[in-house]
Amino acid sequence: MTASEEWAAKNISNETKEKLARSLSWETAELLPFMPYLLQDFWELGSDPEVMVQLVKKHIAVSQNTRILDVACGKGPVSVRLAQKLGVRVKGIDLMPEFIEYARSQARELAVEDLCEFVLDDINEALKTERDYDCLVFGAVGTEVLGGPAEALRKLKSAVKPGGYILIEEGYIPTDGKRESIRFNRDAYFPLEHWLTLFKETGLELVETASGHSEENLDKTTGVAAITNRANELTREHPDKKELFEAYVKTQQDEYNDIDDSLVCVTWMLKSSG
């Protein structure tokens, strides 16, 4: 069964679709059918695989038995890179069938299909049963999709073994006064102190904070240009949805500007205390 057939067989709730849309900086799930086309120029959807690889390599004594869970894996760049460079076993979960198919094809192309498993599923449902991983990756997804920061940390921690690690790529506001300058989804961001308190309350130790940008990611100028080009192509095909596509381009411009002007974007390496 293909990922698209798996999607058709699932009874995906409207609430889940709206959460998925929101996590991808969309105002409405009406855009979901157009997501693969709009994002076809991006493989790395936000996360920097090299940063993830280096943090895992530095803090975990990896072996062929090391198990990593990549939650909301997108097109699978982090999963594939971890398997390719470290020889670990990775399971990636995402709700977009086109992303899962692409991830599987990349694993085959890079000869790591025996180490990678990509599954179509709602991550909220998957995290009810996924357990005992050495490490979990939650890269540039946004905690809203899991119910907000506190609930997200609780759910992510439940999937790793005691002493296991969680990698989270996230943005925080350097001061609460910066919140008003955020253009898109400002209520989803919090000061660093809020996160540090949540880590402690959840039983997570902050091991390292890393930052960096992958050279394979499209920068602000090329990224917005690529999205605008795809949106214009879709508008010509679906003129009745012109305002929908224009609104999406605007949210992407706002998000790029927020990252540049108002947010500190980092990858946290957390360790579960049990």
Side-chain angles (χ1 to χ4, degrees), residues 197-271:
T197 298
L198 288 179
F199 295 159
K200 184 176 181 180
E201 291 176 350
T202 313
L204 294 168
E205 174 192 354
L206 178 57
V207 175
E208 184 171 345
T209 300
S211 61
H213 297 281
S214 170
E215 294 180 358
E216 295 181 31
N217 279 334
L218 300 182
D219 61 25
K220 175 181 176 180
T221 302
T222 56
V224 171
I227 291 169
T228 301
N229 179 55
R230 298 304 181 186
N232 289 339
E233 292 172 353
L234 285 172
T235 297
R236 288 192 288 272
E237 186 175 348
H238 305 277
D240 59 313
K241 299 187 182 298
K242 178 181 179 180
E243 292 185 2
L244 187 68
F245 300 136
E246 288 179 344
Y248 175 63
V249 171
K250 177 64 165 55
T251 65
Q252 292 302 290
Q253 291 172 330
D254 287 345
E255 191 167 45
Y256 271 112
N257 287 329
D258 288 340
I259 291 171
D260 283 349
D261 303 336
S262 305
L263 297 172
V264 179
C265 296
V266 296
T267 299
W268 289 310
M269 183 79 162
L270 307 171
K271 185 175 183 179

Side-chain angles (χ1 to χ4, degrees), residues 22-143:
R22 196 69 175 171
S23 74
L24 290 160
S25 305
W26 294 10
E27 293 287 357
T28 171
E30 188 180 353
L31 274 166
L32 282 174
F34 305 102
M35 175 162 40
Y37 193 91
L38 284 164
L39 298 178
Q40 64 183 280
D41 301 299
F42 299 78
W43 180 31
E44 298 175 5
L45 296 172
S47 296
D48 186 336
E50 198 56 40
V51 169
M52 301 290 190
V53 168
Q54 291 305 315
L55 287 171
V56 170
K57 184 177 181 180
K58 179 177 179 180
H59 294 285
I60 302 176
V62 299
S63 71
Q64 62 182 3
N65 296 318
T66 299
R67 298 171 64 242
I68 297 179
L69 181 65
D70 189 357
V71 178
C73 65
K75 298 182 182 181
V78 174
S79 294
V80 170
R81 197 72 59 85
L82 285 167
Q84 181 187 32
K85 294 206 169 183
L86 302 181
V88 296
R89 297 189 175 278
V90 187
K91 181 175 183 177
I93 300 174
D94 202 275
L95 195 54
M96 285 305 301
E98 293 85 355
F99 290 178
I100 290 296
E101 291 291 1
Y102 189 88
R104 291 170 179 170
S105 70
Q106 287 297 301
R108 288 192 297 269
E109 183 176 324
L110 295 173
V112 292
E113 66 269 35
D114 290 341
L115 295 174
C116 294
E117 177 187 5
F118 291 104
V119 177
L120 182 77
D121 202 358
D122 175 0
I123 60 175
N124 283 281
E125 291 301 313
L127 286 171
K128 292 178 180 178
T129 56
E130 295 290 348
R131 294 292 182 269
D132 296 324
Y133 284 88
D134 298 286
C135 182
L136 179 148
V137 174
F138 187 66
V141 181
T143 59

Side-chain angles (χ1 to χ4, degrees), residues 146-156:
L146 290 176
E151 184 69 6
L153 291 174
R154 183 190 66 78
K155 290 179 179 179
L156 298 175

